[in-house]
Structures are given as C-alpha cells and as structure tokens.
Amino acid sequence: MNLEEYKGVYVYAQQVDGTLSGIAFELLGKAKDLASDLKTDVTAVLIGSDVKGLADELAAYGADKVIVVDDPELKDYRTEPYTHALASVINEYKPEIMLVGATAIGRDLGPRVSARVATGLTADCTQLEIGDFPLNPMPGKEQKHNQLLMTRPAFGGNTIATIACPDNRPQMATVRPGVMQKIDKIDGAKAEVIEYNPGFTPDNKYVEIIDIVKSVSETVDIMDAKILVSGGRGVGSPENFKLLEDLAEAIGGEVSCSRAVVDNGWKPKDLQVGQTGKTVRPQVYFAIGISGAIQHVAGMEESDLIIAINKDETAPIFEVADYGIVGDLNKILPQLTEQIKAAVAAKK
Amino acid sequence: MDFALDKKHEMARTLFREFAENEVKPFAQETDETEVFPRAIVDKMAKYGFLGIPVPKEYGGQGCDPLTYAMCVEELAKVCGTTAVIVSAHTSLCIDPIMTYGTEEQKKKYVPDLASGKKLGAFGLTEPGAGTDAQGQQTKAVLDGDEWVLNGSKCFITNGKEADVYIIIAVTGVVEKRGRKQKEISAFIVEKGTPGFTFGTKEKKMGIRGSSTYELIFTDCRIPKENILGAKGKGFGIAMHTLDGGRIGIAAQALGIAEGALDRTVEYVKERKQFGRSIAQFQNTQFQLAEMATSVEAAQLLVYKAAKAKETQKVYSVEAAKAKLFAAQVAMDVTTKAVQLHGGYGYIREYEVERMMRDAKITEIYEGTSEVQRMVISGNLLK
C-alpha cells in the first residue's frame, strides 16, 4: 500500500428514501475542518437509486465533489450491495480519510467496508483532529504527521481512547450523530459530480427485503430513552405535565416522574424513576420540580447530563445537577420548549 | 428499693389489661390484615381516658405518672402493636412537647382536646433525606408578616392523616456557630385542615399495619405566628427531648410485644403434643422459655426504671435509650423464638406470633434506631 497515493477527505452521505440524513451534513462540516488542515478537499459519496438530485444539497453544506453510485440495486439499504459500492469507490479514488455516520446503517456498513479494503476503523467517534502519531516523539519510533486522531468513549463512557491508523489507508471512522457541527448552508453552491458504477451482480449474499416497518411506539421503556423529562410533585397537577410533554416532544425525549407523582395517581408506576422505580441512565435527564431526595437520585445519578429546574435553590437535586435553573417551571418550560423548537428547526 | 408495684399501679394495670383483652384483642388480626386504622378502638380508648394518662388533670388528663402510661402501652402491645403505637405517638410525641415547651395559651388551646382524645396528635420530624441525621432537614418555615409559611415534606409519620394536631420541625434560617454555618431549626404546631397542608403516600408496612403512616406535604402552608413551639431556633433540642420520652413509650411497646409472644407460646407448648407428650416437656422448650422470660423481665425493669427517671429527673436520655435498645432487641429475639416454638403453625397468620414478629422489627428502627440508642449511651459514657 503506497500511502502517498491516498488523498482527500471523503464522507459517506447517508440517504434514506431519497432524503439525506442529518448526519451527512454534520460529517461534511467536520470534513471541511480536516480538509483545510490537510490542504485538500471534501468529497461526498452518495449511494442509492435515483439520488443524483441530492448532489446540490451536499454542495450547499460543503462538499467540493460528489461521487454518485446510482443503481436500482441500491434502492433500500442492504449490506452487501452498499458495501460493494463504497469499497469500490475507495479502491478507485483512494481517499485518505473516510467518514461514516454511526447510525444503524453506518455501524453496519463501516466495518464491512473497512474489512474489505483492509484498513482500520474507529467506531462511534466523538472527536476527530489532525495531529502527530505518536502524540509525543518516542525514541526508535518514527513520529508520523498529518494523521487522523480519532477519539471515542470506551467501556460505557468510563474511559476515552484516542486511536490512529498510521499504516493503512483510508483512515476510517464512524462518527456519533449530533456531535459534529454542520456549516451554514451556502446557497447556490455547486459541486463537481462524478458518476461511478462498479456494477452489481446479485448473488446469494444479497438479502431480500420483505418489509420495512416505521414504528411509532406509543409506550416507551424509560430505561431505553436517551432523553428523559422527569417531573416531580412540584409540577403541581397532572394537567401541568403537558408542559413536560411539550418539552419532551420538542427535544425527542420521554416523560418520566418521581414516586410522589405516581402516588398522586398522575402517572403510571412504570414511569417512576428511583429506588422503588426504575434506574435510568439517559444522556440527558431533566429533573423538573423534583426536590432530589436520595430515594429518587439513586435512580438517575448516572445520567450523563442532569438539568434541574426547581424554585427552591437549596433543593438537594442541585447537588447532582450539571446545570440548574432556580425558578418557576411554569415560566421556564414554555420558553425552553420554544428555544429548543427553534434550534431544532434551524438544524433541519 | 421496692420492686413491687403499689396498689394504684396494680389497679391501673388491671384496667388496661381488661380493656386490651376485651376491646383490642378481638380486632388485632383484622387490623393487621386490612391495614385500616382502628378508629373505633381509639374512640373507646378516648372514653376511658387512655389518651391523656400522664397529662395533669387541669389540662383534661388523668394526672398519672409516666410509669402508668408506660404500662398502658405495654398492656396494649401485648395484644396489638398497632394500638400501642397510636397511644404512644399521640401522648409522647405530640402532647408531651406542648406540655413541656408550650405557652400557657398553647397548652390551654391544644392539650385538653388531645388529652380527652377528642383530637389525635402526631409528630413530624423525619424527611426523606433526614432520618437518623435529623439535622438534614429541608422543610422551611419563613416568617411573612404575622404568619409562618411552611414548605417541604415529612415522611413516615405515625398517626399521619388521622391526627388533628401535628408538631412539625422546620428550618427557620442559618446561624453561625463557632464560625460554622448551621441550620437554625424550630418547632411548630400545625393543625390538620390548614390550607397548603396535605397528605401524600400511605406507606405499606411489614408490621404495625393498622398504624397510619403517611407523608405530610406543606405547600405555602400558612400558620399563625404564635404557633411556634418554644423559642425560635430551639427546635432541634425540643425534638431530641421529645424523642427521649417517646423512646420510653416504644420501649414499653417492645416489652408488651415480647410479653404477648411469650404468653402465647407458654400456652401453646402445653397444648401441642408430639412423640406422645406435650412439647413443654422437652428440655429445649423449657430452656428457650427460661431465656425468653428472663430477658423479658430484664427489659421490663429497664423500661420501668426509665419511666421513673422521666418522673424524677430532668434529664433521662440515657435511661430511655437503654430501655428502648434492650427492649427492642428482646422483642425481636423473643418473637422469633416464639414463632420457632410454634413450628409450622407459627408461620401461619391465624396464630398471632408471626404478626408479633413482624411488629417487633419496627421497635428497633423508629424513634431512633438501635444504633442511635448506642450512640446516646456511649456518648454519655465517654463524655
């Protein structure tokens, strides 16, 4: 493998049903940073059936080139044809860096492709930068420059690993959605579009998709929720939980509650967090009108981020909260919901 | 040194025992099964004057000594742990602090109705974050004009929701003590029905299941300025001194539970036959009963001594702590052995000893865990 031949930062532009996923734009935003450090350009790889029309959108978010693999076989995501497509693109165009979103699709596709092109892959990265490897010079070991340093949480977030791939190309990473920033849209931007089709010969490795179900789950298990909007007695009434439901809807979370709320008959027991309820570890936990007795805190203190809203500044919940607002939830929640809605709309 | 009870006490004990046997015992199992507060029995006890035994006559009580009161709790506990604790919490934890720390107006206003049993009393100190560490109070009282505004909650309150008058401990500010910031804690009298004072969860318990154990919730609850009990900032001392007295009541309850279990077991082992003779004829049974009876009597002497100390001494914390620590241990031990000597039948709810075993456990926990009693006793030893 001649590493010098490999050039450029490539991004897998995930699309589903002819619509680009948000992660594609996030990756482009990051790829622009990396490309400017490496003094190279950004290429999006678009794979699907009848998707050429999406190229302009990719250009608007920072793609200098778009490689389109367009084939009827690629209508819905399937491991084998998509792997064939992306691996062929890599072998043909030799990118230095290949980024894939760590979505359900990307987590399936990334490892397959990396094995096929015989390179390293770091999964679920939260930070990417260009730097030296090893980080500090070591006697007897060549320090390579302009390497992709891929950082990811490991062991359930208890340790942070920074990983490099010095001897193989491309340097591949799947990137956690929501971590990277997309750039502001450049209206009217155009990218150089290259059509490439490696040819598809279906064989027994091609799975047959029988049915695709888009489920809208009515009852959720709060233990699986990534974001929980949790209310306590301070919410005041079952009707007032509407404020929490609005916030949960805006931010894509679920509503949970404290024991007091269950005892009052405002919410069912399976939404209760705490010693006698469920133990949850969401990425974000809003504790709203919850005083924060240990009986409750024991069920949620492992949350990655705790945001407390309470009118009593001495409430024990503030001892475990990362962010706290002292004030009336009736005033704060509607504003918070509005702001989040605006932010979500801006992201789209 | 006279270990015999005088005539007055003997008569009182007979009265308590007859009441317990005739009025309480028939309903003890039902009270446990249904977990319903035995209101009818409480009303009857009020009629007999059992709800104001140690209260002076001029405040509507019976004017008896603490020992008579302890014996009443003991006799009730022999047949029903629930009934015993209703009397104990009401008398020791609500009337006693008003009598000890209340102004003349407060005593006149509250004690006669409580002592006559027209109203029932309770005591609110414990919070989710403040159990043994009673300083960890979060409930606040803020003076606004001529009213105190209470916000917070209390948990595990005996007689909760059933009681009409509550002694509530709350934080009224922060004070500097030896350069360290400390919570300033005060005591208040709060009446049921005050706006902003509501009840939360009813706890489902292992034992004393008819006792009404509730959460109290205060949301901007306004009470008159004059409802502060004792001086502002003296609440912690008031609570601790109140618990000293309460511990004698709980010690008496534990003692009664142990005695009740021993009585049942003695009867049972005489009747039950295995291997062609009553199980009372086996030496293991005899020795077990000997141990049980000895520890029950030791507990009784400690409890009575503590009751006497309350009558004759200004400070009786250590006597009360020793009585409660030991009597609760004895109750747990004796009831466990009682179930064993009943064999399989002891594990059946129809035979009362399993209930007594469940009731006994709480005596090691409430009004200060056994560990707290050891802290009090050792602290006094090593001062």
Side-chain angles (χ1 to χ4, degrees):
Chain A
M1 183 177 279
N2 180 359
L3 300 192
E4 301 306 311
E5 289 178 16
Y6 287 81
K7 286 276 177 286
V9 181
Y10 281 47
V11 164
Y12 169 66
Q14 179 182 310
Q15 59 79 28
V16 177
D17 296 340
T19 306
L20 285 162
S21 308
I23 183 72
F25 307 132
E26 290 171 18
L27 293 180
L28 285 170
K30 184 69 206 178
K32 275 198 95 64
D33 291 345
L34 300 173
S36 78
D37 286 347
L38 294 167
K39 301 185 179 53
T40 177
D41 55 6
V42 175
T43 306
V45 182
L46 183 58
I47 299 174
S49 170
D50 202 15
V51 290
K52 290 188 202 74
L54 300 173
D56 283 354
E57 211 176 338
L58 292 167
Y61 283 99
D64 301 308
K65 292 192 209 124
V66 179
I67 296 171
V68 183
V69 186
D70 203 312
D71 193 287
E73 285 292 349
L74 301 166
K75 185 177 172 304
D76 291 317
Y77 176 79
R78 286 180 298 165
T79 309
E80 183 54 34
Y82 269 65
T83 303
H84 175 59
L86 189 56
S88 304
V89 167
I90 289 170
N91 289 331
E92 177 74 23
Y93 294 95
K94 298 192 166 33
E96 192 174 5
I97 292 172
M98 178 78 235
L99 304 181
V100 179
T103 58
I105 287 175
R107 286 167 194 243
D108 183 71
L109 178 66
R112 286 291 190 122
V113 172
S114 75
R116 198 158 297 188
V117 301
T119 190
L121 170 96
T122 306
D124 216 17
C125 297
T126 52
Q127 205 182 329
L128 296 169
E129 53 194 358
I130 302 298
D132 299 334
F133 179 83
L135 296 174
N136 301 310
M138 290 160 82
K141 191 165 177 160
E142 181 202 357
Q143 190 182 30
K144 298 190 169 188
H145 306 298
N146 288 339
Q147 300 293 308
L148 179 63
L149 302 179
M150 303 170 270
T151 301
R152 58 153 309 182
F155 299 110
N158 289 316
T159 184
I160 300 290
T162 299
I163 296 164
C165 175
D167 304 326
N168 299 75
R169 289 292 177 269
Q171 303 162 95
M172 281 187 74
T174 61
V175 181
R176 189 176 287 190
V179 178
M180 305 304 173
Q181 298 294 321
K182 60 181 182 191
I183 59 166
D184 293 332
K185 195 170 174 189
I186 309 160
D187 288 324
K190 285 283 176 217
E192 179 193 345
V193 177
I194 306 158
E195 292 191 43
Y196 174 76
N197 191 325
F200 294 87
T201 40
D203 58 24
N204 60 4
K205 296 199 203 86
Y206 278 27
V207 298
E208 179 190 348
I209 294 181
I210 293 169
D211 194 10
I212 296 176
V213 182
K214 291 195 166 63
S215 68
V216 180
S217 62
E218 278 305 316
T219 51
V220 281
D221 186 349
I222 56 169
M223 292 167 82
D224 296 339
K226 294 220 175 352
I227 299 177
L228 281 175
V229 179
S230 206
R233 183 183 292 129
V235 175
S237 70
E239 296 74 39
N240 230 16
F241 262 88
K242 176 88 174 71
L243 296 174
L244 279 75
E245 280 149 19
D246 292 348
L247 172 59
E249 195 181 346
I251 202 165
E254 300 299 337
V255 170
S256 59
C257 66
S258 71
R259 181 185 165 191
V261 170
V262 175
D263 290 335
N264 288 347
W266 300 350
K267 288 280 168 208
K269 170 101 182 154
D270 55 9
L271 298 186
Q272 183 192 324
V273 171
Q275 274 173 353
T276 56
K278 288 179 172 159
T279 300
V280 297
R281 280 199 60 172
Q283 289 166 1
V284 185
Y285 188 93
F286 287 90
I288 297 168
I290 292 173
S291 66
I294 188 65
Q295 292 78 359
H296 182 81
V297 169
M300 45 65 83
E301 62 193 338
E302 295 288 311
S303 307
D304 298 347
L305 184 75
I306 297 169
I307 300 165
I309 301 174
N310 199 300
K311 64 177 200 279
D312 176 6
E313 75 274 9
T314 65
I317 193 71
F318 290 120
E319 288 164 28
V320 295
D322 299 287
Y323 297 98
I325 309 175
V326 177
D328 180 1
L329 62 95
N330 294 298
K331 294 200 179 75
I332 295 164
L333 284 190
Q335 291 185 46
L336 184 61
T337 305
E338 281 312 305
Q339 298 270 359
I340 286 169
K341 275 186 182 158
V344 169
K347 272 190 99 129
K348 277 187 179 148
Chain B
M1 188 83 130
D2 185 3
F3 285 111
L5 287 175
D6 55 32
K7 210 168 178 67
K8 194 173 62 176
H9 284 112
E10 285 291 5
M11 277 171 61
R13 187 198 281 288
T14 308
L15 168 70
F16 300 144
R17 184 170 297 167
E18 279 175 3
F19 181 88
E21 285 291 325
N22 300 329
E23 305 289 349
V24 184
K25 193 178 175 183
F27 301 102
Q29 192 173 346
E30 187 189 332
T31 297
D32 178 68
E33 291 276 352
T34 58
E35 300 192 52
V36 173
F37 183 84
R39 184 48 84 170
I41 290 170
V42 173
D43 290 345
K44 269 194 186 133
M45 288 197 295
K47 226 167 37 197
Y48 279 81
F50 291 180
L51 295 177
I53 293 170
V55 179
K57 287 195 161 114
E58 63 264 39
Y59 293 101
Q62 303 302 313
C64 299
D65 61 354
L67 176 57
T68 309
Y69 158 64
M71 287 190 332
C72 175
V73 176
E74 176 190 1
E75 289 300 329
L76 290 169
K78 276 188 191 178
V79 299
C80 174
T82 287
T83 309
V85 77
I86 294 169
V87 175
S88 181
H90 164 87
T91 313
S92 292
L93 301 186
C94 184
I95 299 179
D96 195 75
I98 299 176
M99 283 305 301
T100 312
Y101 299 98
T103 60
E104 197 50 45
E105 289 77 28
Q106 287 171 336
K107 288 193 223 177
K108 282 211 173 80
K109 183 173 174 187
Y110 290 107
V111 176
D113 280 354
L114 288 164
S116 68
K118 202 161 134 190
K119 287 187 171 164
L120 195 66
F123 176 74
L125 168 69
T126 298
E127 296 183 11
T132 294
D133 177 10
Q135 294 266 20
Q137 299 279 316
Q138 292 283 338
T139 298
K140 286 187 198 52
V142 181
L143 193 59
D144 179 20
D146 41 15
E147 286 174 321
W148 290 99
V149 185
L150 272 65
N151 271 295
S153 70
K154 298 286 174 184
C155 67
F156 303 157
I157 305 307
T158 301
N159 291 351
K161 202 168 185 177
E162 297 290 340
D164 309 281
V165 179
Y166 296 77
I167 306 298
I168 300 297
I169 309 296
V171 180
T172 45
V174 180
V175 284
E176 287 265 347
K177 259 197 182 157
R178 291 184 287 276
R180 282 199 320 178
K181 284 208 163 96
Q182 271 201 335
K183 283 175 182 164
E184 182 200 63
I185 292 171
S186 308
F188 298 90
I189 305 173
V190 186
E191 294 178 53
K192 179 159 82 175
T194 310
F197 174 18
T198 55
F199 301 95
T201 320
K202 179 187 183 185
E203 302 298 347
K204 301 189 183 86
K205 304 185 299 296
M206 171 181 173
I208 56 164
R209 288 172 46 162
S211 163
S212 172
T213 310
Y214 265 90
E215 179 183 29
L216 317 180
I217 302 164
F218 300 95
T219 322
D220 294 331
C221 170
R222 304 181 85 87
I223 55 170
K225 190 174 166 182
E226 60 270 20
N227 274 34
I228 191 165
L229 181 65
K232 178 167 177 272
K234 293 287 182 223
F236 194 73
I238 292 173
M240 291 304 114
H241 186 259
T242 299
L243 286 175
D244 286 343
R247 282 164 190 167
I248 299 170
I250 298 308
Q253 183 203 19
L255 169 64
I257 291 171
E259 288 171 324
L262 178 59
D263 293 350
R264 296 282 176 299
T265 308
V266 169
E267 278 170 40
Y268 183 82
V269 297
K270 288 180 185 165
E271 292 164 3
R272 171 74 172 166
K273 287 194 171 53
Q274 287 288 279
F275 302 100
R277 50 191 165 150
S278 77
I279 58 172
Q281 288 172 286
F282 293 102
Q283 203 173 36
N284 175 65
T285 310
Q286 297 160 4
F287 284 8
Q288 293 275 358
L289 290 172
E291 293 278 349
M292 290 153 80
T294 306
S295 56
V296 164
E297 182 156 355
Q300 188 177 49
L301 291 171
L302 274 176
V303 175
Y304 287 9
K305 185 180 176 217
K308 265 290 175 216
K310 181 164 169 43
E311 185 185 4
T312 56
Q313 296 169 203
K314 196 165 161 36
V315 180
Y316 46 88
S317 314
V318 176
E319 290 85 350
K322 284 176 178 169
K324 180 178 181 295
L325 172 65
F326 188 73
Q329 275 173 349
V330 168
M332 204 59 233
D333 184 45
V334 167
T335 52
T336 308
K337 285 183 169 140
V339 171
Q340 187 69 22
L341 287 169
H342 277 70
Y345 294 97
Y347 201 68
I348 306 294
R349 292 218 291 271
E350 231 173 302
Y351 291 77
E352 293 173 286
V353 286
E354 69 80 34
R355 185 187 82 230
M356 293 169 174
M357 183 174 162
R358 282 187 286 110
D359 286 355
K361 185 61 206 173
I362 189 60
T363 64
E364 292 188 310
I365 300 170
Y366 63 9
E367 297 197 30
T369 61
S370 289
E371 292 71 22
V372 168
Q373 311 313 323
R374 292 185 190 106
M375 280 157 62
V376 171
I377 297 160
S378 59
N380 180 265
L381 275 178
L382 302 170
K383 71 179 176 208

